[in-house]
Amino acid sequence: NAGVTQTPKFQVLKTGQSMTLQCAQDMNHNSMYWYRQDPGMGLRLIYYSASEGTTDKGEVPNGYNVSRLNKREFSLRLESAAPSQTSVYFCASSASSGSLEQYFGPGTRLTVT
Amino acid sequence: QKEVEQDPGPLSVPEGAIVSLNCTYSNSAFQYFMWYRQYSRKGPELLMYTYSSGNKEDGRFTAQVDKSSKYISLFIRDSQPSDSATYLCAMYTGGYQKVTFGTGTKLQVIP
């Protein structure tokens, strides 16, 4: 039982490049989330998916797109990376969008130069 | 003003000390109050949660909520080096609403 897995663990991009961050959970959870964590800013919600087939914007969605590929997988895409997107990205899941407990993955450390 | 304010620390204490971690908030609609622990280079994990006001105890950890003051605390008794981590408070109104996280307080327990 791996919980929430994320790939890659580290990535360096040049400004303007694109990439997709992958996330998968094996807990049969309905809801999945993408956060970014920056010093002094805490965890900020980028996008979330309350259930398979639905996605909604969070607090800081600009510059990102998401795909809920199936119940297990939720990907985050940066179409044209900018230095302001340098951050640690966490994927999380919960049984439902009304659940208190979110289970987090290990994170992806992204640097955009 | 942020909805949730948390002192970033770092907070250094000797092993065995009682630790007090705190958050203040501005949204009176918050009903659920959570504490997450995040070890270095790991994702956060839920430590405990409290509904509305009052105290909740789990082993060496006690969560306290004072809704009248919009102030929550996490106390750690007999702190251990393994408690060294960043502690994030989180709050939630209930229903299908997003969770709001504090910025985290970094704690170091020195042997």
Side-chain angles (χ1 to χ4, degrees), chain B residues 52-105:
Chain B
S52 194
S53 283
N55 292 1
K56 185 174 184 178
E57 190 173 317
D58 184 0
R60 296 184 295 109
F61 298 87
T62 299
Q64 196 171 78
V65 174
D66 181 350
K67 291 191 75 179
S68 62
S69 302
K70 296 191 179 69
Y71 189 87
I72 71 169
S73 301
L74 178 71
F75 298 97
I76 307 174
R77 290 186 301 280
D78 187 25
S79 56
Q80 302 296 308
S82 58
D83 295 328
S84 298
T86 296
Y87 291 80
L88 297 92
C89 62
M91 304 182 190
Y92 171 58
T93 59
Y96 295 98
Q97 303 299 318
K98 72 176 185 71
V99 174
T100 301
F101 287 86
T103 53
T105 299

Side-chain angles (χ1 to χ4, degrees), chain A residues 10 35 37 40-43 45 90 97-98 100-102 104-106 109, chain B residues 2 32 34 36 38 41-44 46 49 88 92 95-96 99 101 103:
Chain A
F10 302 93
Y35 292 91
Q37 187 175 40
M41 301 297 290
L43 281 163
L45 184 65
F90 288 101
S97 57
L100 276 178
E101 185 165 11
Q102 295 184 17
F104 285 80
R109 291 182 175 271
Chain B
K2 291 180 183 174
Y32 298 88
M34 295 157 281
Y36 280 78
Q38 184 177 19
R41 299 192 174 254
K42 301 285 187 186
L46 183 66
Y49 72 90
L88 297 92
Y92 171 58
Y96 295 98
V99 174
F101 287 86
T103 53

